[in-house]
Amino acid sequence: MSISNTKKIQSLPEQRPFNRSAKATALLLERIVLGIYRSRQSNEVQQLQWSILRYLENAAQRQKTIGQIASYLGLTHAPVARAVNVLIERKLVAKVRNPNDGRSQIVSLTSEGLKILDTDPIHGIAAEITQLPVDVRHLLNDLLTDLIMKESSETEGDRETNSDS
Amino acid sequence: MKRILIVDDEPEMRKVIVRFLDGDGFDCVESGSLHDAMEIVKNDQKLDAVVLDFWLKEANALPLLKELRANEPGLPIVIMSGGGPKVSIEITHLLASVVGKFRFLQKPFTRADLIEAIGITEL
């Protein structure tokens, strides 16, 4: 790589709508999230499968169809159906006929499914957050809520630039 | 008779909910905005529960939820949502859960779902 090329690459961040510190913070958030689901072995419960198990733990009985799960998670039917099939193979959930609609089936947690929820990897970080002082916890809640809200309302055209790096 | 505040900016949706609840001995009070809902909560001491849509046209319900939890910690609240702008129902549920413990209803729901949610709201 020539010196002139190196200079060109180093000058790029100045044009980006964030500073280095913000990028570092974002990367730390990414590291935390990736660290939660460390296991990549096929016999472990995967992220989407955890989301489904958590949903089934709390949803009303009538809302435990694959369609409702997909709608809740903001996904299409196919990936949710595939994930549910894997959970059925692992005996963590079971399908039963929907008493309110003969055409659909309800997905229910088995006793094994209930048991594995005790080992939900998100519990570790939830416990860490619980240990934070109350005011710091509230601040963290507010910051993450603001980030999600901003993300939801942001469009490509209205991103602000901040090039103080 | 339970007195329920229904907060939704869609009149048709409020009508459906009132129809769901009227037959079961609930007394329904309606509000189409967060501001009006706050006024009702402040002035109506006889409310037994609040049923509200999270994503209203004017804003999301987070400010109202925070105020309700701060000033009316014992008031049962049922949040309903079909998701928001670029936000899944799951994220909506999580946003509300950060503020406190609520019963969450995913749209569309049945009359039985609503009755169940009001009946088993935990605090």
Side-chain angles (χ1 to χ4, degrees):
Chain A
M1 183 182 290
S2 69
I3 291 172
S4 61
N5 277 347
T6 307
K7 278 182 182 171
K8 202 178 279 179
I9 289 166
Q10 282 175 345
S11 69
L12 276 176
E14 289 177 18
Q15 299 161 9
R16 292 174 176 164
F18 50 79
N19 61 32
R20 285 177 189 169
S21 170
K23 184 175 177 180
T25 305
L27 287 168
L28 286 173
L29 280 173
E30 182 192 58
R31 180 57 64 92
I32 290 167
V33 172
L34 294 176
I36 293 168
Y37 301 99
R38 273 192 204 101
S39 172
R40 292 286 178 273
Q41 294 169 19
S42 61
N43 62 341
E44 295 289 341
V45 178
Q46 302 298 306
Q47 188 176 349
L48 172 57
Q49 295 159 15
W50 278 117
S51 294
I52 293 168
L53 292 172
R54 290 177 199 132
Y55 174 86
L56 294 174
E57 187 181 27
N58 295 307
Q61 189 67 12
R62 282 173 289 272
Q63 296 196 320
K64 292 180 178 177
T65 63
I66 288 183
Q68 293 270 25
I69 299 168
S71 169
Y72 181 83
L73 297 174
L75 298 171
T76 56
H77 190 279
V80 174
R82 278 196 298 272
V84 165
N85 284 338
V86 173
L87 291 170
I88 290 171
E89 283 169 20
R90 298 197 59 195
K91 301 189 187 327
L92 298 175
V93 304
K95 274 185 190 172
V96 294
R97 185 177 291 277
N98 185 348
N100 301 302
D101 177 4
R103 295 165 301 176
S104 66
Q105 290 183 306
I106 291 221
V107 184
S108 290
L109 284 171
T110 62
S111 55
E112 284 301 305
L114 267 173
K115 205 185 292 176
I116 205 166
L117 275 163
D118 287 335
T119 67
D120 186 339
I122 208 75
H123 290 176
I125 194 151
E128 297 285 348
I129 292 169
T130 305
Q131 294 301 315
L132 295 171
V134 174
D135 55 339
V136 176
R137 205 163 63 223
H138 286 169
L139 183 63
L140 181 62
N141 288 344
D142 289 345
L143 287 172
L144 293 176
T145 299
D146 285 350
L147 279 173
I148 288 279
M149 289 298 190
K150 198 164 185 341
E151 181 77 14
S152 72
S153 61
E154 206 168 55
T155 59
E156 283 301 314
D158 62 13
R159 286 174 196 271
E160 289 178 4
T161 54
N162 180 10
S163 56
D164 60 347
S165 58
Chain B
M1 182 177 280
K2 279 190 174 179
R3 190 168 167 81
I4 313 288
L5 170 61
I6 298 158
V7 188
D8 198 309
D9 54 4
E10 290 183 29
E12 284 304 312
M13 191 66 198
R14 293 202 303 273
K15 224 181 268 181
V16 168
I17 295 170
V18 168
R19 207 182 310 137
F20 276 171
L21 296 176
D22 264 355
D24 280 274
F26 291 98
D27 174 22
C28 297
V29 186
E30 294 181 49
S31 170
S33 75
L34 286 180
H35 179 264
D36 289 351
M38 277 313 308
E39 287 302 308
I40 293 169
V41 168
K42 278 177 192 163
N43 299 318
D44 190 335
Q45 302 299 314
K46 292 178 182 171
L47 282 178
D48 292 299
V50 177
V51 176
L52 81 157
D53 186 22
F54 189 90
W55 296 102
L56 303 172
K57 286 187 190 84
E58 57 181 314
N60 65 69
L62 276 178
L64 175 62
L65 289 174
K66 285 180 181 174
E67 189 135 351
L68 283 170
R69 271 294 162 259
N71 299 319
E72 305 284 344
L75 187 66
I77 297 169
V78 178
I79 296 167
M80 47 188 180
S81 180
K86 296 185 190 173
V87 176
S88 68
I89 303 171
E90 180 189 29
I91 295 295
T92 304
H93 191 178
L94 294 174
L95 287 169
S97 299
V98 163
V99 178
K101 197 169 180 181
F102 308 101
R103 185 67 185 170
F104 190 84
L105 261 185
Q106 178 177 346
K107 289 180 179 177
F109 52 82
T110 65
R111 177 178 159 276
D113 295 330
L114 180 61
I115 302 287
E116 183 183 330
I118 293 172
I120 62 168
T121 296
E122 295 174 87
L123 294 169

